[in-house]
Amino acid sequence: MTSNSSYAAAGVDTHAGDLAVELMKASVSATHGPNVLGGVGGFAGLYDLSFAKDYTRPLLATSTDGVGTKIAIAQALDKHDTIGQDLVGMVVDDIVVVGAKPLFMTDYIACGKVVPERIASIVTGIARACAETGTALVGGETAEHPGLMGADDYDVAGAATGIVEADRLLGAEKVESGDAVIAIASSGLHSNGFSLVRHILTSAGIGYTDASAELGTTWGEALLEPTRLYTGQLVELLAGPHGDAVHSLSHVTGGGIAANLARVLPLGSWVELDRTSWSPAPVFRVLNDLAGTSLESTEGTWNLGIGFFAVVRADAAASVISALGALGLPSWQAGTVTIGDRDLAGFEQGAKGVDGGAVRLVGSYAS
């Protein structure tokens, strides 16, 4: 018996892994520009960084993340072509927060059994989203874990690297009193809070293939709406005439609305976000109705319609909103930064170990 057949007897099929690579090869290669060396299948991805010599002080930015339990819905529906976009959104859109342009990304898929078509579908989704954000997919790994994971189970993770000139770095230190807080719309739930989503549906006896009259589709289709990608448009905004007006950016992911904005504001600043400035999408309202909870109670779990924040110079707010709209990102002013003393009871102050500003939401959501 050969070593390969022994491995197969243990539940690992290396030939299936090779077939998965062949099926995804074209989509991965399509993300490669002249800076990527070596093609697909090497032990390490290579990226030519010679252009960085034109920077005065180049800084590399890196981020890593996964998709979380949204994967359980993709697995239940046997639909795997959108989860890759969620992964790219969670990873690459964190890099642009500091003003960096993404360069390359790698992915990791752990599964109970390699089904080549399924793995290729996942990676094709990753590659498609990488191409949309200007990111090269330079490497990845698929690991088969029989006995540890079920045959249809998998998880995905990724890491990316970007570059930014030091004097173009965005962050709380650039924020000034009077700056406008611009909210940028999400496409839905994105990839956060799905443990709560799944709990609500299970408690209500609702299956993913059940139709929802309020949402106009099945629950599974509504919940798998992929994460909106922001990087390409924001990189373009920062490189354009309004770039200098942008002081900080925030990606609204785990932790919710207030906490993620607070992370990119300076200590001593505060913002009141006006709920009347937007109307959360039906998916958020229907889920809260099923749970018997309020929209306000889920502000720390779901994005409720805001996927990103841009904190910009006050006199540039209208032009930035217009520019974002032209780039396909609906946006609006949701608040104003104030730096000064006040009673901060009821405010979210800092998050994720950051001693940042203070944020709270006020008013009632638009219907």
Side-chain angles (χ1 to χ4, degrees):
M1 180 178 289
T2 66
S3 59
N4 278 347
S5 61
S6 297
Y7 212 9
V12 177
D13 187 347
T14 56
H15 295 299
D18 291 341
L19 176 56
V21 172
E22 286 301 317
L23 292 175
M24 68 179 76
K25 197 176 204 177
S27 58
V28 172
S29 297
T31 72
H32 295 177
N35 296 98
V36 177
L37 307 178
V40 177
F43 281 92
L46 296 173
Y47 194 90
D48 187 346
L49 206 59
S50 299
F51 69 89
K53 67 180 180 294
D54 297 327
Y55 284 63
T56 301
R57 186 187 170 200
L59 302 178
L60 292 180
T62 186
S63 176
T64 186
D65 208 340
V67 176
T69 63
K70 186 173 185 176
I71 285 176
I73 301 172
Q75 292 170 353
L77 295 178
D78 195 23
K79 178 175 169 56
H80 314 283
D81 59 342
T82 60
I83 210 74
Q85 178 166 325
D86 293 298
L87 179 63
V88 174
M90 292 301 98
V91 175
V92 174
D93 282 347
D94 276 359
I95 285 177
V96 76
V97 165
V98 298
K101 173 183 172 60
L103 301 176
F104 55 83
M105 178 172 171
T106 57
D107 64 68
Y108 176 80
I109 304 173
C111 60
K113 177 180 176 59
V114 171
V115 178
E117 293 79 11
R118 180 191 298 154
I119 298 300
S121 183
I122 296 168
V123 176
T124 296
I126 295 172
R128 185 171 55 245
C130 278
E132 187 175 329
T133 59
T135 309
L137 185 57
V138 298
E141 173 70 9
T142 300
E144 206 167 18
H145 293 164
L148 183 63
M149 304 176 76
D152 292 324
D153 293 337
Y154 65 84
D155 198 8
V156 298
T161 298
I163 190 168
V164 60
E165 184 70 81
D167 65 5
R168 302 291 294 177
L169 195 66
L170 301 180
E173 64 280 358
K174 287 193 171 184
V175 175
E176 302 172 346
S177 192
D179 278 358
V181 177
I182 307 302
I184 308 174
S186 71
S187 58
L189 285 152
H190 287 182
S191 297
N192 297 103
F194 273 82
S195 293
L196 177 58
V197 170
R198 291 164 52 241
H199 172 73
I200 290 172
L201 294 190
T202 298
S203 298
I206 294 173
Y208 300 131
T209 59
D210 292 345
S212 168
E214 299 93 337
L215 301 178
T217 184
T218 65
W219 271 100
E221 289 169 335
L223 296 177
L224 283 183
E225 175 68 30
T227 302
R228 172 171 272 159
L229 300 173
Y230 299 90
T231 294
Q233 296 94 323
L234 290 175
V235 166
E236 187 172 344
L237 176 74
L238 294 173
H242 309 298
D244 289 339
V246 181
H247 292 158
S248 70
L249 295 170
S250 174
H251 189 193
V252 181
T253 56
I257 299 170
N260 281 291
L261 177 59
R263 294 169 66 186
V264 300
L265 298 175
L267 196 63
S269 68
W270 53 272
V271 173
E272 290 184 324
L273 294 173
D274 183 6
R275 294 187 186 101
T276 67
S277 66
W278 84 98
S279 179
V283 66
F284 300 110
R285 297 180 182 274
V286 177
L287 284 167
N288 273 291
D289 288 345
L290 285 173
T293 54
S294 65
L295 288 167
E296 290 79 5
S297 70
T298 54
E299 290 168 348
T301 304
W302 297 327
N303 67 64
L304 294 183
I306 298 176
F308 239 88
F309 284 110
V311 182
V312 309
R313 201 174 61 237
D315 63 359
S319 57
V320 168
I321 290 170
S322 177
L324 288 169
L327 292 169
L329 295 178
S331 60
W332 63 94
Q333 183 166 349
T336 302
V337 177
T338 301
I339 298 177
D341 294 334
R342 69 154 296 158
D343 179 6
L344 296 177
F347 282 75
E348 187 91 22
Q349 299 183 64
K352 307 269 185 169
V354 176
D355 293 327
V359 179
R360 72 174 178 182
L361 284 78
V362 297
S364 300
Y365 285 110
S367 57

